[in-house]
Amino acid sequence: MIMFVGQWGHALAASLFGALAIWLAQRSAGEREGRLLILATFVTAVWALAVAMGGHEAPAARLTEHVRNASWLGFMYGLWRQGQSRQSLFSVALLYGILSAVIGLAVAVEILPVWLIGSPRLLEAAYLASTVLHMVVAVGALVLVHNLYTAANQDARAAIRLPMVALAAMWTYDLNLYTISYLARGWSYELYALRGCANVLIALIFGLGVRRTRNWTVQLSRTMTFQSLSLIAIGVYLAALIGVTSALELIGGEYVRTVQVAFVFGASIAALVLLPSKAFRAWFRVKISKHLFQHRYDYRSEWLRFTDTIGRPGEGADPLQTRVVQAIADITESPGGLLLVPDDLGTLVPQARWNWQLVDPPVAGASAQAAAWFARTGRVVELDDLRREDDVDEDMAASVPQWIVAEPRAWAIVPLVHFDRLAGLVLLERPPIDRTLDWEDFDLLRVVGRQVASYLAEAQGQEVLSDVKRFDEFNRRFAFIMHDVKNLVSQLTLVTRNAERHADNPEFRADMIATLQNSTARMNDLLARLSQHNKSRAEDPRPVAVSALIEGIAAAKRASHPIIVSGDVGQLVLADPARLEQALSHLIQNAIEASPTAEPVTVSFSRQGSEIEISVSDSGSGMSAAFIREKLFRPFASTKDAGFGIGAYEARTLIMAMNGRIEVSSREGEGSRFTIILPVAQASSAPSHIPSAEAA
């Protein structure tokens, strides 16, 4: 009964495929794809007829089965040729060529039994090898069917769906058939018989779907090519593993089992080491992109990944600056990167890093000269060019910091240019597979750098707008304080007039009047500075006696906390005395609030070349490097629970207005040190000093 089903099932399948071939010949004989399809259906009909007449073990049936597989692969390859470039056709030919070589090897193995008659052991080995090769062909063909379908555009995908389903069903049945035959070490006659019925259904499905096969357009998919090559490589690996172990068993010998186990163990270890390796996968992708595709990058997938990384929402997402580095590093498969941004003086300082494990950058990552050069040229720099010192651009060599050039694993610098302004530099670590940058890398990184710069500029604009809104709220709250201070000034003015008329002691009266007048003047000055209508301008810098100014502030604050002052009494600094006093008062008060009650605050000053350094040191809880870098000099950022976060921000603003700067060093748990640096004043000028309000 089972032989009857097998014989007539294959005969019916032969009739259906033959009729389909005749119908196609009348319909599309002039088209290349039509001729390939006619050939494939005709060969399938011949194969089914050979099985029906001689059985599945007949040499004609076994050989025509391989021709059938090759014909269908030729038809699928023909679909790829529509509108593909020469580079893409080469990649497709490689994929199909590998599987065609396996089919050729299977044909050679099918012919071997003719010379192996009389050697049952060799015949069994040939049978197992043939079965394994059938399995490899079925797996490879299924991969290519999937690749062809997923790479087709949307319109063509609907047209080829049924033909691809028919081909997938044909090779899926073959895979199961030969897998069971290999495991059972013999023919599965029931499955071979039912194969004819399965091909009848396949012929019907193919006949229904082939009516929509005109004008198929298929585009090569980079991802599918990588997956297909990976699956084919795995299939070849498994086939080689089975073939070598079978050959070792065929050779025999006393230690054959030991050699087999050792070979399988070694091959498995090699696969486990190579396949999970990032370097191996990166090398594999580089070779595929270099030799199989016209462009190095799949721009659609790269842009989608870039956008997803930059716009990643959620509380757990990294800060924008970190995501910027990651987005650029992912494009070149760099394992890490560093972001340098310009500060208020134009110096490039480190702001964010992503997986950066290389040299720790200095506080001033790059000079203002480097920032100006990158902003002017917008040039992506490959650092290996600088290290080779062959015809190097002198301006570029002078602009790139030496600490970057000295780090051998630093690979490239990508400038982030927004219009004509430099938003930052991204320093990339060398990828696992080292290579030189080409024109495609430079073009893509330059465009991505400009896009990233626009994101950073937008983020900075939002921060400025937020600060403006908070300052507006801050001013509204202080309007009430201004009213109270104004009332206090009026009261003090009245006291001054009464004291002039009624004080009996002339000396007490003089001291009281001087104190009240000084307080009144200072409070009026505070009102003027807080008022939104204040139009006053800062005084021009002039020589100021540093020692007298600091002692005046310290004397007023020693009542609440010990303060130690040290330095050369004769030092003069070029500054606006009122603003310098205000800035120092902020820093000393912050140090007092951060220090334990019994630990003194130290204020020291000294001359360093043409500059005066005034340092305020405490032994408090200190600050983290991230807080100093990102929040210290921003308004409303404070480590104190009740702090406004205005003191350090205002102090730096006042010092910068006098052509000075503030440097900070701090360690968590050890304390902080703020250093004001201002120009030295000439000793020939008379020093100035405004007495402290607290001292008065």
Side-chain angles (χ1 to χ4, degrees), residues 496 499-500 503-518:
T496 303
E500 289 177 343
D504 295 331
N505 189 331
E507 295 180 356
F508 172 79
R509 182 178 60 193
D511 291 338
M512 181 182 65
I513 291 173
T515 301
L516 292 176
Q517 287 178 340
N518 184 271

Side-chain angles (χ1 to χ4, degrees), residues 4 14 153 180 192 223 278 320 371 579 640:
F4 176 83
N153 59 31
I180 294 174
Y192 274 105
T223 303
K278 292 183 178 180
L320 174 63
R579 289 180 178 248
K640 295 174 289 187

Side-chain angles (χ1 to χ4, degrees), residues 55-118:
H56 64 273
E57 297 185 53
R62 296 175 66 81
L63 290 175
T64 52
E65 180 179 349
H66 294 299
V67 179
R68 180 205 68 173
N69 290 333
S71 299
W72 283 116
L73 289 176
F75 164 69
M76 292 168 57
Y77 175 70
L79 296 180
W80 283 97
R81 296 179 61 87
Q82 301 180 46
Q84 299 295 324
S85 64
R86 168 177 281 181
Q87 195 79 6
S88 299
L89 288 176
F90 173 75
S91 64
V92 174
L94 177 63
L95 293 174
Y96 285 86
I98 293 173
L99 198 55
S100 299
V102 176
I103 293 176
L105 180 60
V107 172
V109 173
E110 296 286 359
I111 301 174
L112 277 179
V114 178
W115 291 280
L116 299 178
I117 297 175

Side-chain angles (χ1 to χ4, degrees), residues 240 429 499 528:
E429 185 178 344

Side-chain angles (χ1 to χ4, degrees), residues 471-546:
F471 263 119
D472 183 60
E473 176 63 24
F474 193 77
N475 289 333
R476 282 198 297 270
R477 283 185 290 154
F478 267 83
F480 300 101
I481 298 176
M482 291 171 60
H483 180 267
D484 294 340
V485 172
K486 185 177 181 180
N487 292 337
L488 179 60
V489 171
S490 299
Q491 294 174 6
L492 291 175
T493 304
L494 180 61
V495 169
T496 303
R497 288 198 298 268
N498 291 335
E500 289 177 343
R501 291 194 302 267
H502 303 292
D504 295 331
N505 189 331
E507 295 180 356
F508 172 79
R509 182 178 60 193
D511 291 338
M512 181 182 65
I513 291 173
T515 301
L516 292 176
Q517 287 178 340
N518 184 271
S519 299
T520 302
R522 290 191 172 279
M523 289 183 181
N524 282 322
D525 181 67
L526 175 62
L527 284 173
R529 291 202 303 269
L530 290 176
S531 173
Q532 60 177 336
H533 304 293
N534 177 36
K535 304 297 183 181
S536 62
R537 298 179 59 184
E539 296 182 15
D540 293 332
R542 59 180 184 272
V544 178
V546 179

Side-chain angles (χ1 to χ4, degrees), residues 603-675:
V603 183
S604 60
F605 52 94
S606 62
R607 177 170 179 169
Q608 301 294 332
S610 60
E611 296 175 328
I612 295 291
E613 294 185 356
I614 306 172
S615 298
V616 180
S617 305
D618 65 71
S619 54
S621 58
M623 298 171 288
S624 66
F627 182 87
I628 295 174
R629 182 174 62 250
E630 300 172 5
K631 297 183 178 181
L632 175 61
F633 290 115
R634 292 186 58 190
F636 313 111
S638 175
T639 57
K640 295 174 289 187
D641 294 337
F644 286 111
I646 295 294
Y649 170 79
E650 185 175 9
R652 190 178 71 157
T653 302
L654 293 170
I655 297 302
M656 289 179 62
M658 295 182 287
N659 298 320
R661 64 186 187 275
I662 294 181
E663 295 181 354
V664 184
S665 61
S666 180
R667 289 182 179 272
E668 291 182 283
E670 298 181 13
S672 304
R673 179 176 181 176
F674 287 73
T675 302

Side-chain angles (χ1 to χ4, degrees), residues 575-590:
D576 176 354
R579 289 180 178 248
L580 178 56
E581 180 183 19
Q582 186 178 357
L584 270 172
S585 297
H586 282 311
L587 297 182
I588 294 174
Q589 185 61 37
N590 286 344

